[in-house]
């Protein structure tokens, strides 16, 4: 039997498919029921209002949304924080601004790496590394 400490409460438990102890699983299910009940009564509630009324953390409510357990389609004001900057969003994990910045950063990094691989006159320096390519007719590519 594999044992571990619950990351939520710290208690020792027999490891299971949820990676938290049975007691915390029950607590999370009760939190889910509280949120669901509140949202049935208050369809226009925000995530902050749900958290305040049910005493369930915004992080846990966000997890319910991402798991598909709480639908934001039926709750027009329900949004959760962007994982990067915290601005409220309705889909994905990042807001458009953070996603665009990440895309620009990747493009800039790729451009720098590409220019670093090429020599002054556009000669490709990639060949001849640990595994140099040998052309049967011209010899090594170094």
């Amino acid at each position: 039997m594999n044992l571990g400490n619950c990351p939520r409460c710290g208690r020792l438990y027999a490891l299971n498919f949820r990676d938290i102890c049975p007691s915390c699983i029950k607590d999370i299910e009760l939190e889910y029921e509280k949120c669901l009940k509140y949202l049935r009564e208050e369809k226009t509630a925000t995530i902050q209002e749900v958290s305040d009324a049910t005493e369930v953390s915004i992080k846990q409510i966000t997890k319910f949304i991402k798991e598909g357990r709480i639908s934001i389609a039926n709750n027009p004001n329900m949004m959760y924080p962007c994982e990067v900057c915290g601005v409220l969003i309705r889909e994905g994990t990042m807001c458009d601004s953070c996603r665009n910045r990440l895309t620009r950063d990747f493009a800039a990094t790729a451009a720098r790496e590409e220019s670093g691989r090429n020599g002054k006159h556009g000669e490709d320096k990639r060949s001849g590394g640990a595994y140099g390519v040998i052309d049967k007719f011209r010899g090594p590519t170094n």
Side-chain angles (χ1 to χ4, degrees):
M1 174 186 288
N2 292 330
L3 298 175
N5 289 86
C6 178
R8 192 163 190 250
C9 70
R11 284 182 251 173
L12 191 64
Y13 76 105
L15 293 175
N16 57 40
F17 67 96
R18 292 280 304 265
D19 293 329
I20 57 175
C21 72
S23 177
C24 286
I25 290 172
K26 288 177 188 171
D27 291 345
I28 289 171
E29 291 307 310
L30 290 173
E31 289 176 348
Y32 171 68
E33 291 299 325
K34 279 190 214 177
C35 292
L36 211 53
K37 182 179 179 195
Y38 184 79
L39 284 168
R40 283 186 188 128
E41 296 168 6
E42 302 291 333
K43 292 202 179 286
T44 60
T46 64
I47 196 166
Q48 185 65 56
E49 292 168 344
V50 174
S51 179
D52 292 343
T54 62
E55 298 179 349
V56 176
S57 71
I58 289 177
K59 183 177 178 182
Q60 185 61 56
I61 297 169
T62 300
K63 194 170 181 182
F64 292 146
I65 293 168
K66 288 182 179 179
E67 290 171 349
R69 297 181 75 187
I70 291 180
S71 171
I72 61 174
N74 299 330
N75 305 330
N77 296 328
M78 183 62 76
M79 295 186 272
Y80 53 92
C82 165
E83 289 183 4
V84 178
C85 70
V87 71
L88 295 177
I89 56 176
R90 286 188 58 84
E91 62 183 31
T93 57
M94 283 188 272
C95 65
D96 290 339
S97 175
C98 289
R99 192 177 309 110
N100 291 338
R101 186 172 9 128
L102 185 64
T103 302
R104 281 193 311 272
D105 290 349
F106 277 144
T109 300
R112 277 195 307 275
E113 287 177 1
E114 184 62 31
S115 67
R117 280 190 222 135
N118 294 331
K120 287 189 264 183
H121 304 289
E123 297 168 7
D124 193 354
K125 290 184 173 180
R126 284 180 286 184
S127 60
Y131 301 100
V133 177
I134 297 176
D135 185 332
K136 287 183 182 180
F137 302 106
R138 292 188 226 163
T141 59
N142 295 17

